[in-house]
Amino acid sequence: MKKIILIVLMAAMVVIGPVTTQATVMKEVVTQKQNVYSKQNGQGSIVGYIYRGSVIKYDSVSKRTIYRNVNGYLNTGYYLAPAVTGGWRAAVVTAGSLNLRAQPNASAKIITTLSGNEVIRVNISAMKNGWYSIAYNRAGYWYWEGWVNSKYVIRVDGFSYDSLAQFSTL
């Protein structure tokens, strides 16, 4: 009986073949301007730039980035915000500057000030009275604290690849 099971398992391995890792192309938003290189780990020549707010295709296996006519590798993935992760969505600050508050109201303590066109992540399932719980990126680290009024941000999870989420007031 053991021989039969062993033969069946070996035959299945031959038929199925080696297991390959499936590439997962994800929609990401760049949180700060980055060089794109011809080789991984910041090696090779710079083949282009990707600006803050760019909605890119990012292959999680090969680490390849594609944005418009720029195709290559970022030096780091620390400056990417997934367009969608669970209840979190990438968003961009549309105001010239925006106070990040400790509580979801305009009189709460100010934690920091976010700049115009700054890429943040908002928790859509935790919205309270029109305020989003957010995460913001500083020097490659995400800080999961604070609240912003939803009137001053726009979610970019619905933007198409190769879009640029930057805003100005006229």
Side-chain angles (χ1 to χ4, degrees), residues 56-115:
I56 65 170
K57 291 179 184 176
Y58 181 73
D59 185 318
S60 65
V61 174
S62 73
K63 307 299 184 200
R64 181 172 287 280
T65 298
I66 302 168
Y67 177 74
R68 298 184 181 176
N69 60 347
V70 178
N71 189 336
Y73 301 92
L74 301 176
N75 188 30
T76 178
Y78 296 126
Y79 298 107
L80 296 178
V84 176
T85 304
W88 293 87
R89 303 293 187 267
V92 173
V93 174
T94 59
S97 64
L98 181 61
N99 290 328
L100 177 66
R101 303 281 181 170
Q103 298 295 321
N105 64 66
S107 60
K109 176 185 169 198
I110 297 171
I111 296 171
T112 190
T113 300
L114 306 172
S115 63

Side-chain angles (χ1 to χ4, degrees), residues 35-45 58 62-64 72-77:
N35 296 336
V36 180
Y37 295 90
S38 60
K39 296 180 182 174
Q40 287 186 336
N41 302 320
Q43 302 296 310
S45 60
Y58 181 73
S62 73
K63 307 299 184 200
R64 181 172 287 280
Y73 301 92
L74 301 176
N75 188 30
T76 178

Side-chain angles (χ1 to χ4, degrees), residues 43 50 81 104 128 133 136 141 146 155:
Q43 302 296 310
I50 298 180
K128 289 184 183 174
S133 170
Y136 61 100
Y141 296 99
R155 289 180 26 202

Side-chain angles (χ1 to χ4, degrees), residues 110-125:
I110 297 171
I111 296 171
T112 190
T113 300
L114 306 172
S115 63
N117 291 314
E118 185 167 340
V119 177
I120 61 175
R121 297 171 74 187
V122 298
N123 187 340
I124 61 171
S125 58

Side-chain angles (χ1 to χ4, degrees), residues 8-18:
V8 169
L9 287 175
M10 290 179 68
M13 288 176 61
V14 170
V15 171
I16 295 172

Side-chain angles (χ1 to χ4, degrees), residues 29-32 34 52 77-81 114 118-121 134-144:
V29 183
V30 177
T31 63
Q32 79 172 32
Q34 295 208 34
R52 177 170 67 177
Y78 296 126
Y79 298 107
L80 296 178
L114 306 172
E118 185 167 340
V119 177
I120 61 175
R121 297 171 74 187
I134 76 148
Y136 61 100
N137 193 306
R138 291 289 187 269
Y141 296 99
W142 285 98
Y143 294 88
W144 304 86

